[in-house]
Amino acid sequence: MFDEKFMIAAINEAKKARDRNEVPIGAVIVFQDEIIASGYNLRETSQTTLSHAELIAIQEANKKIGSWRLEDCTLYVTLEPCPMCAGAIVQSRIKHVVYGAHDPKAGCAGTLMNLLDEPRFNHQVKVTSGILEAECAGLLTDFFRELRNRKKGDLL
């Protein structure tokens, strides 16, 4: 129940991305049972590679806490982190990641590999997956279906 509450907040962030015609991925960072940072995918809007939901939320949390170390924080994200985001999560020392949908193309929190629990790194992250998975995956499925339909319409 606890995880679902914060995943709903991440889903709401993902909907903000969708409303801007961005891939609907959202993230929130929780510290002491309170959301301290949030982010959603802005890669198309900003045309910058680093504009993933997780990275935006991490930067906001760094400012809020006043440190690059987010050791007592949990990150909730609607899609399994990619390699870039997984690296940033390890580097920021986040202690726990909770994600919704698995990512068969780029998932680095257990699907393709698990960079968050790599013993050769100096920090490992606890991972919980599948929280509100159907809702998180549905946002992505619906978005890409609509995008394909729009492209088909443009070809007619």
Side-chain angles (χ1 to χ4, degrees):
M1 197 68 163
F2 188 75
D3 286 338
E4 286 86 355
K5 170 187 168 183
F6 293 119
M7 188 59 73
I8 288 168
I11 289 169
N12 289 334
E13 291 297 310
K15 289 176 181 176
K16 292 176 186 177
R18 178 200 61 202
D19 293 346
R20 294 180 70 149
N21 292 317
E22 293 278 358
V23 176
I25 301 168
V28 297
I29 295 179
V30 174
F31 176 70
Q32 297 179 344
D33 300 331
E34 179 184 327
I35 295 172
I36 62 163
S38 61
Y40 55 89
N41 198 32
L42 282 170
R43 195 164 54 169
E44 295 301 323
T45 301
S46 69
Q47 288 298 303
T48 59
T49 305
L50 302 177
S51 294
H52 284 205
E54 299 97 320
L55 298 182
I56 292 167
I58 287 170
Q59 287 181 324
E60 187 179 318
N62 292 148
K63 290 176 188 170
K64 177 86 174 190
I65 288 182
S67 174
W68 64 270
R69 293 177 184 268
L70 302 176
E71 295 169 319
D72 294 317
C73 295
T74 300
L75 170 71
Y76 290 83
V77 62
T78 57
L79 182 65
E80 181 179 2
C82 71
M84 175 177 68
C85 292
I89 290 163
V90 170
Q91 290 299 311
S92 66
R93 308 298 196 264
I94 288 173
K95 74 173 181 179
H96 188 191
V97 168
V98 179
Y99 72 86
H102 296 271
D103 186 351
K105 294 182 179 178
C108 285
T111 298
L112 296 179
M113 65 183 66
N114 192 347
L115 291 176
L116 300 180
D117 193 31
E118 172 55 56
R120 293 173 291 181
F121 291 152
N122 64 347
H123 178 74
Q124 288 76 44
V125 181
K126 178 183 174 187
V127 176
T128 303
S129 64
I131 303 299
L132 299 179
E133 183 172 9
E135 293 89 333
C136 294
L139 277 170
L140 291 160
T141 302
D142 293 347
F143 175 81
F144 286 113
R145 182 183 306 117
E146 186 178 313
L147 188 63
R148 283 189 301 276
N149 288 339
R150 273 187 274 158
K151 286 183 179 179
K152 284 179 189 175
D154 289 345
L155 295 174
L156 298 176

